[in-house]
């Protein structure tokens, strides 16, 4: 049987492609430059082709090197998934777990659930990243995250999701706003109401517009965060929709705003957990989402 490349050699060629020089690649994988260079030479001997063009300006992969690089990444991913699957089978949700969270969830949900999650899964090491949905999905596909808490629906290639709980939208406006004096309130009442919303890129903006399908967003103002949004409303610039999760967490406390729920059927968004299609941590992602739902459904302590 022909000699096969080692995982270490594949790791070195990946590092070399990412860093563009032997010295920086060696530093990234914690070996000396001669060790890395010798391993790449041995890999070229095993494969019978030149993988790297060495020059004064650094190292560049040849066409053969590019072809090997693509497969090396797949092999390393499968090896990493093998380890993760074995560990998860022995003890799910133990060790490092990289979780992404969108900005309209993170500051309002995490303080509530993190202590309970740590109590339920004492061996988990949660690494958190807050970012917009598109960038979190990119990180999932690139295996830089294991799972993400996002608002649904949100279709994306190579991403699977599991809905966990519902988060209704509430109408928020200054006390003198005409809609605050209505005995009942439905999303259709916002037909002629230009809403203050988050800027493009936040899925909450799209979900809010979908919830009140006849409404519209003000084009002259857009906020970068919910905290900025409520201050814009307080300043009398208009009305908005806020997730109940944020209101319950105190977002509008002492802001002097009128907050109203809509009459049934309730308008809102689904909160769920997302993961890369085919991920070895899919079951753990679902288990984490279900645990969060249980924490949120648990009666509050007196």
């Amino acid at each position: 049987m022909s000699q096969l490349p080692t995982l270490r050699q594949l790791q070195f060629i990946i590092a070399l492609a990412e860093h563009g020089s032997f010295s920086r690649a060696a530093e990234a994988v914690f070996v000396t430059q001669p060790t890395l260079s010798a391993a790449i030479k041995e890999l070229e001997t095993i494969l019978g082709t030149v993988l790297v063009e060495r020059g004064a300006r650094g190292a560049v992969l040849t066409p053969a090197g590019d072809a090997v690089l693509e497969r090396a990444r797949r092999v390393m991913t499968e090896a990493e998934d093998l380890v993760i699957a074995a560990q998860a089978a022995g003890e799910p949700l133990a060790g490092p777990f990289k979780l992404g969270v969108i900005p309209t969830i993170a500051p309002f949900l995490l303080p509530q659930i993190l202590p309970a999650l740590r109590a339920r899964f004492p061996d988990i090491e949660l690494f958190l990243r807050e970012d917009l949905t598109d960038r979190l999905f990119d990180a999932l596909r690139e295996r830089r995250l294991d799972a993400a808490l996002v608002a649904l629906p949100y279709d994306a290639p190579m991403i699977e999701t599991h809905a966990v709980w519902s988060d209704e939208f509430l109408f928020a406006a200054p006390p003198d706003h005409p809609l605050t004096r209505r005995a009942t309130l439905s999303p259709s009442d916002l037909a002629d109401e230009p809403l203050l919303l988050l800027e493009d890129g936040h899925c909450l903006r799209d979900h809010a517009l979908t919830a009140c399908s006849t409404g519209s967003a003000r084009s002259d103002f857009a906020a970068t965060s919910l905290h900025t949004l409520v201050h814009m409303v307080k300043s009398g610039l208009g009305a908005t929709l806020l997730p109940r999760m944020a209101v319950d967490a105190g977002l509008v406390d002492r802001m002097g705003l009128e907050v109203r729920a809509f009459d049934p059927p309730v308008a809102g968004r689904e909160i769920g957990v997302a993961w890369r299609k085919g991920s070895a941590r899919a079951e753990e992602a679902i288990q984490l989402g279900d645990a969060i739902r249980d924490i949120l459904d648990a009666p509050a302590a007196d």
Side-chain angles (χ1 to χ4, degrees):
M1 182 177 178
S2 301
Q3 185 179 0
L4 296 176
T6 66
L7 291 179
R8 193 66 166 155
Q9 288 168 340
L10 298 182
Q11 181 190 27
F12 288 172
I13 195 72
I14 292 170
L16 188 59
E18 291 176 348
H19 295 279
S21 80
F22 281 89
S23 59
R24 290 195 298 271
E27 183 179 353
V29 293
F30 305 104
V31 298
T32 64
Q33 182 174 336
T35 297
L36 186 136
S37 182
I40 296 295
K41 273 288 188 185
E42 184 178 359
L43 179 61
E44 290 177 323
T45 300
I46 292 171
L47 299 178
T49 187
V50 176
L51 303 177
V52 183
E53 292 181 358
R54 300 158 174 84
R57 293 187 175 182
V60 179
L61 296 190
T62 65
D66 286 332
V68 168
L69 175 66
E70 180 181 349
R71 288 162 175 77
R73 284 176 169 152
R74 285 205 296 265
V75 170
M76 292 300 296
T77 295
E78 291 297 328
E80 291 167 0
D81 283 351
L82 182 150
V83 173
I84 291 170
Q87 292 173 338
E91 187 177 1
L93 289 172
F97 193 95
K98 293 167 286 186
L99 180 67
V101 194
I102 60 174
T104 57
I105 293 177
F108 314 110
L109 179 69
L110 294 181
Q112 181 180 356
I113 66 169
L114 285 181
L117 282 178
R118 291 193 180 102
R120 183 173 296 204
F121 306 109
D123 295 324
I124 196 172
E125 299 174 50
L126 272 179
F127 295 90
L128 301 172
R129 172 181 170 182
E130 181 181 317
D131 212 333
L132 299 180
T133 307
D134 280 341
R135 290 201 283 264
L136 292 181
F137 283 176
D138 285 342
L140 288 174
R141 283 186 284 261
E142 295 166 6
R143 296 170 172 84
R144 291 182 283 113
L145 288 177
D146 298 312
L149 291 177
V150 298
L152 305 173
Y154 202 107
D155 293 330
M158 295 302 296
I159 298 295
E160 295 185 331
T161 61
H162 171 61
V164 177
W165 78 99
S166 298
D167 185 26
E168 70 174 301
F169 288 139
L170 304 176
F171 178 75
D176 59 353
H177 193 284
L179 289 180
T180 64
R181 296 192 289 270
R182 286 179 176 262
T184 62
L185 187 65
S186 71
S188 62
D189 294 327
L190 277 59
D192 300 319
E193 183 67 31
L195 295 172
L196 293 168
L197 296 174
L198 295 178
E199 64 183 0
D200 286 336
H202 289 269
C203 58
L204 180 62
R205 177 187 180 90
D206 298 329
H207 290 142
L209 289 173
T210 300
C212 54
S213 56
T214 56
S216 62
R218 287 190 60 168
S219 59
D220 52 344
F221 289 99
T224 57
S225 71
L226 286 177
H227 289 88
T228 302
L229 188 62
V230 296
H231 280 282
M232 292 166 66
V233 176
K234 180 182 178 181
S235 299
L237 295 176
T240 192
L241 295 183
L242 298 174
R244 178 176 285 279
M245 174 196 305
V247 174
D248 289 347
L251 177 65
V252 298
D253 287 359
R254 296 179 295 278
M255 295 292 290
L257 300 182
E258 190 75 23
V259 178
R260 292 276 306 277
F262 292 104
D263 296 329
V266 172
R269 59 180 183 168
E270 290 291 316
I271 306 299
V273 62
W275 62 91
R276 176 182 55 82
K277 186 176 182 179
S279 170
R281 311 208 77 164
E283 289 301 319
E284 290 180 282
I286 295 172
Q287 185 178 353
L288 183 68
D290 290 343
I292 292 172
R293 181 188 57 218
D294 292 344
I295 292 168
L296 295 174
D297 287 344
D302 293 333

